[in-house]
Structure formats: C-alpha cells, structure tokens
Amino acid sequence: MDTRENILVTEDEMIKQDAFLQMVAEKNPDANKKYIINTFGCQMNENDSEKLSGMLEAMGYMRTQTIEEADLILYNTCCVRENAELKVYGHLGSLKALKNRKPGLIIAVSGCMMQQKDVVDVITKKYRHVDLVFGTHNLYKFPELLYMTLNSEKPVAVVSDSDGYIAEGMPIKRDHGVKAWTTIMYGCNNFCSYCIVPYVRGRERSRKLSDIINEARVLGHQGYKEITLLGQNVNSYGLDLKDGSNFALLLRSLEDLEGIERIRFMTSHPKDLTDELILAMKECKKVCEHLHLPIQAGSNRILSEMNRRYTREQYFQLVDRIRSQIPEISLTTDIITGYPGETEEDFAQTLDLIEKVRFDYVYTFLYSKRTGTPAAKRQDQIPEDVKKKRFGALLELQDSIGRQINEELAGKSVEILVEGISKNSFSMMTGRTRTNKIVNFKGKTDLTGQLVNVIIDNTGTWSLEGTLVH
Ligand code: SAH
Ligand code: SF4
Ligand code: F3S
C-alpha cells in the first residue's frame, strides 16, 4: 500500500532532474533553440504545460508561436472525449513532411492520452516521426527524457503506469501575468461511469498545505492578483493527508496573503460540498462569488447510472444552501447529453433542472464513448443525431437564461480585474467580474493587473461591455 513517503518525489530525484536540465542546457550554449507547446484539455493540463515550458526555458529553449520555426514541438494531450484525441492524431500526421525537411526537429507527445497503452502503441508504430512519448505521471522527468531523446537515434517512449507522484519545485513559466493556476491535488477517486480521468491521472493525492501556501505567497510577491486552485474534485482536498487539512482550511489559510486579491477554484463535486466549505467561501473576502458545480444530468436514474452519488433533489438543496449564504453567487455547470440509455423523459428532466436552477453558464458535451470505462460497454448507446438534437435544445434554453441573467447587470457597477487587451477588439480592455463574467471596456493598457469599477452598458450571452468609472 502507498504511504505518503513514496508518493512524494524525493529531493535526490529532483536534484538528478536538475542535473539533466543543466546537461541539456550545455548542449545548447547559445540558448537559441525554439519550442512550441500545444495544449489540449483542462486547466490542470495547461498548468502542466506551464511546468514543461519552465523546464524548456531552463534548458535554453525560447518560445515561438510558429510550428515551422520550432526545434521542439510538444503536444500535451487530453483524452476526456474522442474529438480531443482525433485532433492530436491529425496534428501529428501533418508534421511528417516538416520532420522530413528538418530531421533535427524533436516531436514530443505527453499528457493523459499517453497514459493509455493502446494509444502509445499506435503512436510508436504508426507515427514513427514522433521522437518522445511520456505520460502525466513522469512529467517531472522531462529533463532526463529529453536528454535521452537528444542522445538517441531511436524514439523514446517512457510511460509510468504507477499511480503517479507529487513533485514539488519544478521550474514554471506561467502564461499570464495577472492570474495564476495552482494544482492543489492530482488524480480522482470518483470513477464516474463515463469518465477516463481516474484511469489516466491515478488516485487522488493532495499537495501539502504548506507547499501550496508557499507557492501562493511567492505568486503574490511576483505581482499575481488572482489565483485559481485546481483539482478534479477540490472539495476532497487534504483528506488523504490525514493531518486535519481540508479545502475549507486551505481557503482560510490563503486569505491573508499579500498581493493576492482574488481566489478561485475548480472543480467541485456536489457530493462533497460541505456547509463548512460554504461558510469559508462566504467569510473569506478574497474567495470569488463563483462556483462551478457540475451536475452532468437532470434525471435521478441517469445520475445513479453515472455513479455521481447525489440526486437532483440533493442538488437543489445544495444550490439553496449556497444561495442562502452567498446570494450573489454565479453558478456554472457541466452537462453530458446522450449518456447510454438516456430517454426523452430523462432529457426532459435535464431541461427542467436547467430551468429551475438558472445557471449563469452551462458547458455542454456530447457523450463520448471512452474505452475502459463501464459506460462504454453498454449496448444502449444513443445515436449521434439524437445526442446532437438534445445538445442543441439545451444550448437554446441556456442561451436565453444566460442572456436574461446578464441583462439584470445592465446599469450596475461591477469590480473588474483587468487582464489585458481584448482579443476580439484591440481598442478594448478586458477583465472579469468576481462572478467570472467577461467585461470589455475602453481603457488604457496600463490598467492591466488593476481592480477597477465599470458600469455595465451592454449585455450579451457570452460577455458584457461597460464604461470605466473614474
Ligand atoms: N472532475 C470534474 C470534471 C472533469 S472532466 C467533475 O467531476 O466535474 C470535465 C467534464 O467533461 C465533465 O464534467 C463532464 O461533463 C465531461 N466529460 C467527462 N467524460 C466525458 C465523456 N466520456 N463524454 C462527454 N463528456 C465527458
Ligand atoms: Fe471524471 Fe467524475 Fe472524476 Fe470528474 S469526478 S474527473 S467526471 S471521474
Ligand atoms: Fe483531459 Fe486529462 Fe484534463 S483527460 S480534461 S487533460 S485531466
């Protein structure tokens, strides 16, 4: 059985990786090699990519935005739905010609997809121009694996099938200057019947409270204003540590850190959201009024088959408890349409739930069959056109609810953390409310990183527009 000691990567191992990092850097004395990382999937994967970027930059690689310029191309992959995997195969296929023209090019693939043996077999047999394959559990070994790749004629494929480790102190190059992600726990124990994540990310393991607080303190000193705590189910944070740590305590411990103005987190599993946590959210002034609380389906029969371990009634009660404590909270959720055996009545229950709860935003997914999960073995799979029809109906209903909720903000003053220039309109700045809504407004670029007040003039389903209050 695992004990904490063999979950933590030892200091000796991290020193060894640092040595490999230096050895790769020495091979590249001009530090003029270029890299590009293409990331798929969730924020935890994005956060892993930031660590991979940090390691690459410590090895003398510079980031480029173009594939043609790169000396190293890395795909950090996701397998939560089939289309995420198909995209990766498409990209890899199209790199063959480039690799022929540029034999020194290193093509690497990492991430969740690589934790599946059959995928690694396909890559190593059919995509022979791929030089390096590694998984999520040995991310911290990237310097060693890259060193091996650079010194070998043959492709390197090293995927650890152990449950995975916690490695502290990896270099990191964050993508954003204002808001930062921190993964507080890895893996998942829930085994929802449709989901591949527990198989590719291993069992839940939490970072030590003190390690997270230290990281957040440094982020505050570096000028980051917002921090998002990440985990597949942050509500069960700390329970495996058996030292009294839990998520409510973590939120309270981060409250006093200098520089950090806002704290967010995701994802919360409804079955584990305690009153203690609701109270901590209410009392911690920096914790934002937004909760992502995936429901997945509105019918009790489907929820039970999905192994979600709550009923729609329990979910309604939970929403009531949260709203009674934090009335201004915005709620978002995830829903899957077309789970095996989902009938029209089941789906009508989902629509009914959406109408009753009135979420600010709903992320909708077509059910995707994932080999190895219990739901994939079922004979009563739903045809694609039915899944899509339900998806469309859900979107239509939610669009009108989301628009109505946003309309209520017209004329109100809201606090925005300015993130930078809007990607859609270069004459506008963009930021988010505490409730996680995007607001664009006219303003100077030096407002980036500041908290400002904006009066909302225009509202839409996706974003809002406002005028800066001077
Ligand atoms: N741990 C989080 C979510 C992780 S995956 C949670 O439990 O809420 C993000 C979302 O992808 C899930 O909430 C679910 O809605 C969706 N998802 C997971 N597996 C899927 C599958 N096989 N097909 C379609 N959507 C899926
Ligand atoms: Fe997947 Fe369920 Fe775990 Fe979320 S809680 S990652 S949906 S198994
Ligand atoms: Fe995808 Fe892995 Fe995240 S499967 S959703 S990248 S944990």
Side-chain angles (χ1 to χ4, degrees), residues 177-178 223 225 416-422 426-430 441-452 468 470:
V178 177
K225 295 284 158 48
I416 309 288
L417 175 61
V418 186
E419 292 179 12
I421 300 168
S422 162
F426 294 144
S427 63
M428 304 284 265
M429 296 296 285
T430 190
F441 63 98
K442 282 211 168 63
K444 295 230 175 88
T445 51
D446 61 3
L447 290 175
T448 302
Q450 291 190 31
L451 290 169
V452 299
L468 190 64
H470 289 284

Side-chain angles (χ1 to χ4, degrees), residues 130-155:
V130 170
D131 303 283
L132 169 61
V133 176
F134 60 107
T136 57
H137 299 333
N138 51 3
L139 184 106
Y140 67 93
K141 287 198 174 189
F142 180 51
E144 180 177 351
L145 298 174
L146 183 58
Y147 182 82
M148 280 163 65
T149 309
L150 292 168
N151 288 288
S152 152
E153 293 290 307
K154 286 199 193 129

